Amino acid sequence: MTIQWFPGHMNKAKREVSEKLKYVDLVLELVDARLPQSSRNPLLDKIIQNKPRLMILNKIDLADPVATKQWLAEFERQGIPAIGINAKEDHAKKKIMTGANEVLKEKKARDASRGIKPRAIRAMVIGIPNVGKSTLLNRLVGKKIAATGNKPGVTKGQQWLKISGSLELLDTPGILWPKFEDERVAKKLAVTGAIKDQLLHLDDLAIYALDFLSEHYPDSLVKRYGFTKEDLTVGGVEQLLLISKKRGFKDDYEKGATLFLTELRNGMLGGITFDIVPEQN
Ligand code: G4P
């Protein structure tokens, strides 16, 4: 594996997030609903410590709705309040307002009993690149705000964005890196577009995804590419050649891989979730 984050970058990103955390009551941890586990940063728990958190599974329109339900239940089981949203749609705002108020309900009641005047909840969005942080901020604010760049370390003067009378957000999200301790996680992140295509070969990615779909979502391949029962058993390499042929690329499997991955990422194969909920005994 050649994918690496330099320790210097990691420390800088961590420092920046820790610094901003001081000013907020609540962390909105944004993950990709197609990868509720693999698109988290494992260090976040350590960084945010006891700070209240609302987990947000974004891009539910691209994920498998059954798996999304299971993941939401799994996070609740772990004691992490969680909601699912599509940051491109208006419902996101209401869901987040309700979720944030719910997470801070007890604190607010405590404050009230001590005679502390209620004030707006201050929150920040944290997540790895491409989970939809900018899209969500824009949706919440209701206008296009300046792009902040996709790299940890890109910052500018900080401001509070007033979302409503009861919620304010830091205008720059906290950006952390994904973890690549195993190659499968890196492949899942690349398949969903969270990390750049140049880092892994397109055909390897397509083959990985085809093997995964054949096992977990065979119907998606039957519907989209007219696979037969037998096609589903021949393995990713053959399947990639099959798709290339069916789409008129002859044996140019690179073109086939590009087309297949684009269609997969755009949701044309239906809602797919690549992280499987761990089974409880
Ligand atoms: P980031 O700040 O966390 O890095 O992510 P950003 O908002 O830039 O979003 C990354 C991509 O994900 C964008 O697509 C964005 O439109 C898309 N996206 C964000 N939220 C959702 C969602 O809930 N559903 C779907 N389907 N897509 C979502 P892009 O192709 O990079 O750009 P564009 O298509 O918006 O031009």
Side-chain angles (χ1 to χ4, degrees):
M1 284 293 291
T2 51
I3 302 166
Q4 266 176 19
W5 279 78
F6 297 107
H9 288 164
M10 290 197 210
N11 286 333
K12 187 154 186 242
K14 225 165 90 181
R15 256 200 327 273
E16 277 176 10
V17 169
S18 304
E19 182 57 31
K20 291 176 185 169
L21 272 175
K22 291 183 199 153
Y23 306 106
V24 303
D25 309 301
L26 175 71
V27 168
L28 303 175
E29 180 183 359
L30 201 60
V31 296
D32 188 321
R34 293 168 296 176
L35 296 174
Q37 189 58 41
S38 303
S39 64
R40 297 184 76 188
N41 178 298
L43 287 181
L44 187 66
D45 284 352
K46 220 168 144 196
I47 298 173
I48 72 172
Q49 294 181 3
N50 296 326
K51 190 73 77 178
R53 163 196 4 209
L54 176 65
M55 167 79 91
I56 302 174
L57 276 58
N58 187 34
K59 309 195 188 186
I60 50 170
D61 54 311
L62 298 176
D64 168 4
V66 175
T68 298
K69 255 196 191 154
Q70 291 171 340
W71 273 109
L72 290 174
E74 169 62 17
F75 286 125
E76 296 283 347
R77 193 190 65 76
Q78 293 176 19
I80 305 173
I83 57 171
I85 63 160
N86 171 351
K88 291 185 159 183
E89 286 187 350
D90 278 334
H91 78 140
K93 184 165 173 172
K94 195 157 176 238
K95 273 193 164 178
I96 289 176
M97 304 279 302
T98 309
N101 276 310
E102 187 62 30
V103 172
L104 292 176
K105 201 166 67 185
E106 281 173 26
K107 181 184 179 297
K108 283 182 152 187
R110 253 192 337 266
D111 284 355
S113 71
R114 290 185 191 139
I116 299 172
K117 245 173 69 186
R119 60 164 177 81
I121 295 169
R122 289 195 152 177
M124 72 180 288
V125 175
I126 303 184
I128 67 167
N130 280 316
V131 287
K133 298 179 295 300
S134 311
T135 308
L136 178 62
L137 285 180
N138 288 328
R139 172 65 49 190
L140 290 175
V141 176
K143 62 175 187 218
K144 189 116 186 96
I145 54 169
T148 52
N150 248 339
K151 293 190 210 90
V154 179
T155 47
K156 56 180 181 122
Q158 231 133 79
Q159 281 175 22
W160 293 100
L161 303 168
K162 213 175 166 117
I163 308 304
S164 73
S166 61
L167 182 66
E168 290 176 7
L169 272 188
L170 263 190
D171 71 340
T172 46
I175 304 171
L176 290 171
W177 58 96
K179 67 163 187 178
F180 298 121
E181 63 196 28
D182 80 54
E183 184 161 345
R184 225 164 31 119
V185 172
K187 281 188 175 164
K188 288 182 185 187
L189 288 164
V191 162
T192 53
I195 56 175
K196 292 256 181 298
D197 278 340
Q198 296 92 292
L199 293 174
L200 291 158
H201 289 296
L202 275 189
D203 43 341
D204 281 347
L205 280 186
I207 290 164
Y208 168 78
L210 283 164
D211 285 336
F212 182 88
L213 293 183
S214 298
E215 185 179 349
H216 298 283
Y217 296 95
D219 287 350
S220 67
L221 295 172
V222 173
K223 266 196 205 141
R224 184 81 202 158
Y225 303 113
F227 276 18
T228 62
K229 254 194 185 151
E230 206 209 321
D231 294 340
L232 290 170
T233 63
V234 296
V237 178
E238 288 299 319
Q239 289 171 337
L240 182 52
L241 282 169
L242 203 60
I243 290 175
S244 308
K245 280 207 180 79
K246 277 176 184 273
R247 290 295 191 253
F249 304 137
K250 298 205 174 120
D251 45 14
D252 188 343
Y253 59 85
E254 294 258 345
K255 270 193 188 159
T258 306
L259 172 111
F260 164 65
L261 287 171
T262 305
E263 295 192 343
L264 177 64
R265 287 171 184 160
N266 289 340
M268 289 155 87
L269 280 91
I272 311 275
T273 299
F274 291 91
D275 281 342
I276 312 287
V277 182
E279 278 185 31
Q280 298 306 316
N281 302 314

